[in-house]
Amino acid sequence: MIQRVVSTATALFFAGTMFFLPFDAGEGWQRGLSLFVFGDLVTHISYFVHDHPLPADFSSDTLSLLILLGLLAILAAALGWILSALKTGFRVAKVVRIGGSYYLAYVLLCYGVGKILGLQFYIPEANVLFTPFGQLTKDILFWSTVGTSHSFNVVTGIIECAIALLLLLGRTRVLGLFLCLFVLLGIVLLNFTFDISVKLFSLLLTALNLFCLWPVLPALGRFFAGKGVVSLNGLFPQWSIRSVWTLWQQVFLASTIVVTAIWQQLPTDRHRAFPNGAYEVVSGVASRPGSIRRFFVHSHDYLILQDTTGSLVDYHFEVVGPAILVEDYAGKKTVGRFQFSRKDSLLRLEVPERGWLFNGKAIDIRKLPALQDDTHFLLDDFE
């Protein structure tokens, strides 16, 4: 009885995480559903475990997410006990293991396609490239370093996509789960050692992977203990869902997962009156004359100024027709003007209220050594 309760409750907990845990911090349907069902309750509970109530934010490594997982665990334990007491015979663990395999495949496809398209480990922003090494945090350093190697991202992305395809096929699912486990363990190690803020989400994926693998672990343990060759075929018929859906339905489900994962990662074109990048100040004035050496236009609508000492100050901006609206962290908004010449890559930026008048020449960051994706096989090849 206890074993059945634990198995059912564990399966229900993972089902809850797949259903309610937002895959990312965006405005997806999972986030909206979680906020609708648990948002007010999580905010209320946060009052008792924090010095002030926190808005419900179910991003990874937040207090809100920890509270949400606690609520899901309590609900799963209660429902697991009820289902086990009723002896319904409904094999929840079997369904969740199949669904979990598809969920892991979807996650790997999203990250794999994102790497191939350069969306996950993207080319560092211009301000990062011109920031002194010692002033960057470890997570930014890791993210930026990996982003400079397009070939590394393509290879690792292809590997993750290949493992995802193994998870989608019944005959190769066990192999895919083992390979996925090694990938996830490596991700967990990176997240903790480089302080990357997806620790909790990666731990949950690893736990889900182990849950899906649980039925085959005893057989593999006997094999590694030298007690004979073990065949996984037929040991666990729940890995095949042919008795539940026809073949074409399985193909349709797998294809939907693949198409959805790819579609989510496709970049959207965004036109701006002036391009992102770095600009060297060739003339102009500021509130501190001669102190601004460069300024950067970040892809997420941030204007970043760098003085001669290398210090950076950033402002959010919005382009409204020929004008630019600049806002600092104190909420003060000022209106300025800009003029960009694509012919000579000159950007003139004028914000009188802040004492800015810059004429910046665009820097071709593609020529920087960090962005050269070359491979030197011999030391003699270095110049």
Side-chain angles (χ1 to χ4, degrees):
M1 174 67 178
I2 295 179
Q3 183 178 1
R4 185 164 60 248
V5 171
V6 172
S7 176
T8 304
T10 303
L12 289 172
F13 171 75
F14 284 118
T17 59
M18 288 186 286
F19 197 71
F20 287 103
L21 183 63
F23 179 64
D24 54 33
E27 299 291 334
W29 67 269
Q30 288 172 302
R31 183 176 184 274
L33 180 63
S34 299
L35 288 174
F36 176 76
V37 178
F38 296 103
D40 293 338
L41 181 59
V42 167
T43 300
H44 182 72
I45 294 175
S46 69
Y47 179 81
F48 298 96
V49 295
H50 200 264
D51 55 357
H52 59 84
L54 296 173
D57 177 12
F58 299 126
S59 305
S60 184
D61 302 353
T62 61
L63 178 61
S64 296
L65 183 59
L66 283 175
I67 297 174
L68 174 61
L69 293 176
L71 293 174
L72 291 176
I74 294 172
L75 291 174
L79 188 56
W81 182 84
I82 294 173
L83 291 177
S84 299
L86 293 176
K87 299 180 180 180
T88 59
F90 182 62
R91 303 181 67 181
V92 179
K94 167 188 172 180
V95 176
V96 173
R97 284 192 172 99
I98 297 173
S101 300
Y102 282 115
Y103 180 77
L104 290 170
Y106 174 75
V107 172
L108 281 181
L109 279 171
C110 286
Y111 282 125
V113 173
K115 287 183 176 68
I116 295 172
L117 297 179
L119 301 177
Q120 184 186 3
F121 294 110
Y122 41 81
I123 295 176
E125 293 283 348
N127 61 291
V128 174
L129 291 169
F130 284 93
T131 301
F133 181 91
Q135 294 182 11
L136 295 171
T137 58
K138 287 196 297 184
D139 60 334
I140 297 296
L141 278 172
F142 174 80
W143 216 263
S144 301
T145 302
V146 177
T148 60
S149 177
H150 178 68
S151 55
F152 177 83
N153 282 283
V154 170
V155 171
T156 53
I158 291 174
I159 292 174
E160 290 181 353
C161 290
I163 296 175
L165 294 179
L166 293 177
L167 290 170
L168 293 175
L169 303 175
R171 291 183 177 273
T172 58
R173 187 163 296 138
V174 175
L175 174 61
L177 285 170
F178 270 104
L179 296 176
C180 182
L181 180 62
F182 285 107
V183 171
L184 291 175
L185 289 174
I187 293 174
V188 169
L189 178 63
L190 289 174
N191 289 341
F192 276 89
T193 54
F194 284 90
D195 197 24
I196 300 172
S197 59
V198 282
K199 304 176 188 69
L200 190 53
F201 183 65
S202 59
L203 284 174
L204 285 170
L205 291 178
T206 305
L208 175 61
N209 196 325
L210 286 171
F211 175 76
C212 294
L213 270 176
W214 194 258
V216 303
L217 292 181
L220 288 173
R222 292 193 299 271
F223 169 75
F224 287 114
K227 296 183 178 180
V229 177
V230 176
S231 174
L232 298 178
N233 292 331
L235 283 178
F236 301 97
Q238 67 265 30
W239 296 110
S240 174
I241 56 176
R242 295 186 178 220
S243 59
V244 183
W245 293 318
T246 61
L247 180 60
W248 72 267
Q249 288 172 321
Q250 296 177 49
V251 172
F252 175 77
L253 177 60
S255 301
T256 301
I257 292 174
V258 173
V259 172
T260 303
I262 295 175
W263 183 263
Q264 292 275 355
Q265 301 300 314
L266 291 179
T268 56
D269 294 331
R270 186 182 182 191
H271 177 73
R272 179 176 284 157
F274 48 86
N276 309 326
Y279 294 83
E280 193 82 28
V281 175
V282 293
S283 65
V285 296
S287 55
R288 291 177 294 169
S291 62
I292 303 302
R293 180 183 179 185
R294 300 186 187 96
F295 63 91
F296 309 96
V297 180
H298 195 283
S299 61
H300 290 168
D301 297 335
Y302 282 93
L303 178 66
I304 305 166
L305 307 183
Q306 184 180 42
D307 62 21
T308 53
T309 66
S311 299
L312 301 171
V313 181
D314 58 291
Y315 304 84
H316 186 266
F317 75 87
E318 180 182 357
V319 174
V320 183
I324 182 170
L325 183 64
V326 180
E327 180 181 4
D328 58 25
Y329 282 94
K332 180 182 178 181
K333 297 181 179 180
T334 51
V335 179
R337 298 184 297 274
F338 71 91
Q339 183 178 1
F340 180 70
S341 173
R342 295 188 179 276
K343 180 179 180 180
D344 48 16
S345 299
L346 282 174
L347 174 59
R348 179 183 176 87
L349 181 63
E350 183 179 358
V351 185
E353 191 173 344
R354 296 186 183 273
W356 297 351
L357 176 56
F358 305 130
N359 291 299
K361 175 72 173 178
I363 302 172
D364 190 357
I365 63 174
R366 295 172 299 178
K367 295 181 180 180
L368 293 175
L371 297 186
Q372 305 308 306
D373 205 13
D374 299 330
T375 300
H376 301 87
F377 186 72
L378 299 174
L379 290 176
D380 309 80
D381 296 333
F382 285 96
E383 296 181 356

